[in-house]
Amino acid sequence: MATLVYVEEPGDLTQQTLALARSLGGPLYAFTAGDTVAVSGVEMVHHADADAFRSYAPAALARALVELVEAHKPAAVVAAGTPRGNEVLARVAAIKDLPFAANCTAFESGRPGSVTRTRWGGSLLEEARVHAETLLLTVQPHSVQGEPASGEPAPVEHFSPSLRDEDLVVTVRERVGSSAGGVTLADAKVVVSCGRGAGSPEGFGIIEELAGLLGGAVGCSRAVTMAGWRPHTDQVGQTGTKIAPDVYIACGISGATQHMAGCKGAKTILAINTDPEAPILASADYAVIGDLHEVVPAISAELRKERTG
Amino acid sequence: MKVLVCVKRVPMTGGKIVLTEDSRAIETKHLGFTISPHEECGVEEAVRLVEAHGGESVVLTLGPPEAEEQLRDAMALGADRAIHLVTDEDEWDAQATAGAIVDAVRADEAATGAYDLVIFGNESADSGGYQVGIRVAYALGRPVATGLKGVTAEGTTVRCEQEAAGGRDVYVLPLPAVVTVLEGLNLPRYPSVPSKLRAQKKPVDASSPARPESRLELLRLVVPESQGKEAEILGHGPDAAPAVVEVLRLSGVA
Ligand SMILES: Cc1cc2nc3c(=O)[nH]c(=O)nc-3n(C[C@H](O)[C@H](O)[C@H](O)COP(=O)(O)OP(=O)(O)OC[C@H]3O[C@@H](n4cnc5c(N)ncnc54)[C@H](O)[C@@H]3O)c2cc1C
Ligand SMILES: Nc1ncnc2c1ncn2[C@@H]1O[C@H](COP(=O)(O)O)[C@@H](O)[C@H]1O
């Protein structure tokens, strides 16, 4: 019972996806398109050739995958739980009228298949049965250890999927704008974040100062973006950016599950809060009880003192 | 423009998730309810599109009788009317949800004319299935772009922008189309008191579709084991600063 793995691009997420796909038991085959060709750790690569794949074309990718599913009847199709992995598999599910389990942390083949999948951005797990002839599954990023990419790239078989006009409509026409530059929230080693406790947009002055001293990025909670104090690009959480810095400093943030869903990958969490009962203290490693407007400048001053002294 | 936006009632869980005794749902006795921030931006976008181009904005939910609250909230933001597909308490899976929405869209379009745009959240707040909007689009035979932070109606097309590494990817879809959106698309307005009062009088078309078998069958929910952590208190007030810097140094960031 073979498993077909949609490989968007080489990298750790692909290795994680292959590792979990392997737990289904059967041999693995890869599906690729565009520039992605070389995949190791699978029996064979089915590479779709078409002009459509010069840019991201999710409808065409799904149609090509459906063609493979119909030809080879794999027991499962697996992809990474990335925006694109989830989008393409949902399209396959829609075309084939099959159930689709997104962002799984474990699965077992069989009829029905069994999965554990994430809800609420990872704050809750769901155990479910999947009643389907072909299991459509994506792997929750960073929930399993990636297998090492080793060995020769697998042999590649090229095919030209029959695409319909409607499959060519949804395609990236151009990429506009550019990233802001500087330390990005998603990649920063330190993130200094502030919530409603900031009290005002000006309250972020001391947060920016501390982030600057640490070479980090500024984050915030949804209470802050809703108030219009910071742009949504600064929001950490389930519906904001998911981050995994070495240190996360959460000032004046209560610790709602939807906020913590965005920062639980942090190695160390330090909370600064006036309330010793704030829920964030149950997920933080360290805490300072006090007013952030006094504590944060004191930390900045201490850092400066150490550097000059 | 005629715009439909689909929203799902979910509990506001706060700092900790508590499950019901049978572990099949979240204990909601002491909780308020809301919709996903993505969907809230979807409602705001639908209202703005109609403000700019004229037409009608409609909000739809499939959920228990109490979900009328979320429909009223959306109408307080400016949606003109609502469609309520009333269910019992049990959650429907994504396939069943999409099927009922498709039937409702077809029935409503037969009576009132076609929608130019149907807006979904990219993923629901609770289930996070990443699929209902896509399923509805395919069933209706309309193009769909997902995860959007920009939606601009341009005559017979809609320009869709998606955040990507180093910029924004642009799709251009012919109307009628389906889009799934993310928080950050816009900043939703706060409803005024008069708009809340007006929302109470706006029409809600309620019906009760039959529930199909779940093909993604929820067995039970599990709260992931937190490490049983309790934060080490470094101190109180500004005096804690040296201890904080020590922690930063040990973590290799100061
Ligand atoms: C589906 C859904 C998705 C969501 N997604 C997100 C998301 O992506 N990100 C997100 O952040 N939220 C999200 N939320 C909202 C979330 O539930 C909370 O409402 C939000 O995180 C609260 O923000 P907050 O902690 O800043 O505010 P509050 O909960 O009001 O907490 C403020 C905290 O600041 C402390 N405080 C006040 N003054 C001071 C001071 N002077 N010094 C120190 N401490 C002080 C208080 O003790 C309190 O703990 C989502 C909600 C839902 C329903
Ligand atoms: N019960 C529901 N009623 C109305 N719309 C829904 C429902 N469930 C999901 N949706 C819509 O579909 C989107 C994606 O849901 P999901 O596929 O569950 O992640 C949501 O953001 C909503 O816009």
Side-chain angles (χ1 to χ4, degrees), chain A residues 197 252-253 271-278 281 288-293, chain B residues 236:
Chain A
I253 291 177
I272 300 173
N273 204 299
T274 43
D275 178 6
E277 307 283 311
L281 268 63
V288 176
I289 308 304
D291 186 338
L292 70 94
H293 302 281
Chain B
H236 290 72

Side-chain angles (χ1 to χ4, degrees), chain A:
Chain A
M1 294 303 271
T3 296
L4 185 60
V5 180
Y6 164 42
V7 177
E8 255 173 88
E9 56 184 6
D12 191 38
L13 291 181
T14 289
Q15 297 313 119
Q16 294 169 22
T17 305
L18 290 171
L20 204 58
R22 219 172 279 290
S23 74
L24 289 167
L28 304 185
Y29 294 80
F31 163 72
T32 60
D35 296 337
T36 302
V37 182
V39 182
S40 60
V42 298
E43 308 292 317
M44 201 181 77
V45 177
H46 294 281
H47 187 270
D49 293 315
D51 288 346
F53 299 127
R54 275 194 290 227
S55 67
Y56 178 57
L61 285 167
R63 189 68 67 183
L65 252 176
V66 164
E67 197 172 301
L68 282 183
V69 167
E70 288 174 351
H72 300 283
K73 308 212 166 9
V77 181
V78 180
T82 56
R84 291 182 172 188
N86 282 330
E87 170 171 21
V88 171
L89 259 61
R91 287 175 186 268
V92 172
I95 294 169
K96 298 294 290 174
D97 197 23
L98 286 168
F100 161 45
N103 295 328
C104 299
T105 59
F107 34 71
E108 258 174 65
S109 53
R111 288 212 187 160
S114 307
V115 300
T116 303
R117 58 180 297 275
T118 58
R119 290 183 154 240
W120 287 100
S123 304
L124 191 59
L125 296 173
E126 164 189 353
E127 294 173 3
R129 275 198 284 253
V130 192
H131 301 273
E133 51 280 18
T134 310
L135 303 177
L136 302 179
L137 313 164
T138 58
V139 176
Q140 167 80 359
H142 309 295
S143 63
V144 292
Q145 194 77 39
E147 59 180 41
S150 58
E152 291 290 300
V156 181
E157 193 173 285
H158 292 262
F159 73 111
S160 301
S162 4
L163 301 175
R164 311 172 185 188
D165 290 345
E166 72 230 42
D167 301 325
L168 307 175
V169 170
V170 192
T171 170
V172 172
R173 305 287 179 94
E174 55 174 333
R175 180 161 294 182
V176 296
S178 58
S179 51
V183 189
T184 67
L185 184 56
D187 302 327
K189 280 197 172 313
V190 187
V191 174
V192 187
S193 222
C194 198
R196 202 190 303 276
S200 70
E202 292 73 38
F204 273 83
I206 53 173
I207 303 299
E208 283 171 349
E209 182 190 20
L210 178 57
L213 282 169
L214 294 169
V218 172
C220 71
S221 73
R222 181 164 186 255
V224 165
T225 49
M226 290 285 285
W229 297 349
R230 302 289 297 188
H232 182 265
T233 43
D234 282 1
Q235 181 176 314
V236 171
Q238 182 180 336
T239 53
T241 303
K242 299 199 174 57
I243 59 171
D246 289 344
V247 178
Y248 184 59
I249 306 180
C251 313
I253 291 177
S254 62
T257 51
Q258 299 88 5
H259 184 82
M260 301 318 290
C263 62
K264 60 173 189 276
K267 286 205 191 93
T268 300
I269 298 179
L270 165 68
I272 300 173
N273 204 299
T274 43
D275 178 6
E277 307 283 311
I280 193 161
L281 268 63
S283 10
D285 301 278
Y286 301 99
V288 176
I289 308 304
D291 186 338
L292 70 94
H293 302 281
E294 296 170 7
V295 177
V296 173
I299 298 169
S300 295
E302 185 70 22
L303 279 169
R304 281 210 186 83
K305 198 167 83 193
E306 299 236 335
R307 283 177 195 178
T308 53

